[in-house]
Amino acid sequence: MSKTIFITGASTGIGRAAAELFAAKGWNVAATMRNPEGSKGYNDQSRVRTYRLDVTDRVSIEAAVEDAIRDFGRIDAVLNNAGYGAVGIFEASTPEQVRRQFETNVYGTMQVIQALLPHFRGSREGTIINVTSVGGKVTFPLYSLYHGSKWALEGFSESLHYELKPLGINVKIIEPGVIKTDFYSRSEDFINSGELPEYQDYVKVVRSSMQSAGANGVAPEAVAASIYKAATDRSNRLRYAVGSPAPWLLPLRKLLPERWFFAIVRANVEKK
Ligand SMILES: NC(=O)c1ccc[n+]([C@@H]2O[C@H](COP(=O)([O-])OP(=O)(O)OC[C@H]3O[C@@H](n4cnc5c(N)ncnc54)[C@H](OP(=O)(O)O)[C@@H]3O)[C@@H](O)[C@H]2O)c1
């Protein structure tokens, strides 16, 4: 019997690439997204069903989980991928922007996991794959809210992996580097204010280097391949860093004294 993966944020980028890859490997895919009406068709349409799910809307999560279990019989893995970056000047952010960042990236993931746990617990197996980021372990300027959310997700996921292991449920963390997706354009919530001139030179320099990194990022298919590995390698490995700079920057963060590491970040993102 084919296995089934439940994916959040499957409309574009990493989520979509994962949906295509799992379907190509013979899995059923419950591809969830905020606007299924607007989604492009998948290569292997016979294996993919789309469902409406907004991770900030608990009713939509419960409905999508129930419908997917009814349609496919069971769910073997969940990919918590939906997320975006609130990027810019922290002082300029509104309470709504702060709340939405955490409601999407952190509480959204938690709500999806809670909706699926009774199912996984009942079958005494299941794999939870959370997409964090290289930015869940290291930081760059102007990403304070995003990093806050992804660092939270890292700690949450790591602790959860102990608790669920005795129930036969695995937790996996995917840490992408810079990936060429809508993350740096359509999906970004850019936070700035004309009333804060003191920040503007810095914002201009850092934003331009981050945007150009995004434009030269790694293809989302590379992340999809790591997600597939995490879902199928049957190992106890928790973390999968994928896409430059994640696989070398994360070890460097552990090796170098903090101020050397910060100097490297500055030299790379604060250059004019
Ligand atoms: N790109 C990178 O460099 C990078 C690096 C590290 C980690 N990541 C992480 O990778 C994940 C996927 O991002 P991506 O790079 O593939 O960017 P993307 O193409 O912008 O995809 C983001 C996806 O999240 C969905 N989403 C946003 N808010 C949602 C909500 N409230 N409910 C349900 N879905 C929601 C979007 O849906 P809509 O189509 O409806 O907007 C879209 O499907 C994110 O968690 C991101 O933080 C990305």
Side-chain angles (χ1 to χ4, degrees), residues 1-126:
M1 189 179 151
S2 294
K3 292 196 164 193
T4 300
I5 185 164
F6 186 96
I7 301 177
T8 65
S11 59
T12 55
I14 295 168
R16 185 176 177 90
E20 292 286 19
L21 180 64
F22 277 80
K25 297 279 191 186
W27 284 56
N28 299 316
V29 179
T32 77
M33 59 197 75
R34 287 189 285 196
N35 297 303
E37 312 76 34
S39 99
K40 285 193 290 164
Y42 291 84
N43 291 333
D44 188 349
Q45 199 62 50
S46 67
R47 297 205 162 271
V48 185
R49 280 182 188 240
T50 56
Y51 302 86
R52 198 188 82 72
L53 184 156
D54 181 328
V55 295
T56 64
D57 172 2
R58 192 171 191 109
V59 174
S60 79
I61 295 171
E62 281 165 3
V65 166
E66 196 181 314
D67 290 351
I69 293 172
R70 185 199 59 224
D71 292 345
F72 293 115
R74 58 179 277 149
I75 293 169
D76 299 280
V78 56
L79 175 62
N80 287 300
N81 162 76
Y84 74 96
V87 181
I89 304 171
F90 171 67
E91 189 180 345
S93 61
T94 63
E96 290 69 32
Q97 284 173 310
V98 176
R99 200 174 307 119
R100 192 168 80 93
Q101 179 72 117
F102 284 80
E103 278 179 354
T104 305
N105 294 5
V106 185
Y107 308 138
T109 297
M110 291 174 173
Q111 293 202 98
V112 171
I113 292 172
Q114 276 197 333
L116 275 158
L117 273 177
H119 180 68
F120 288 162
R121 194 167 33 80
S123 43
R124 291 203 69 80
E125 62 182 348

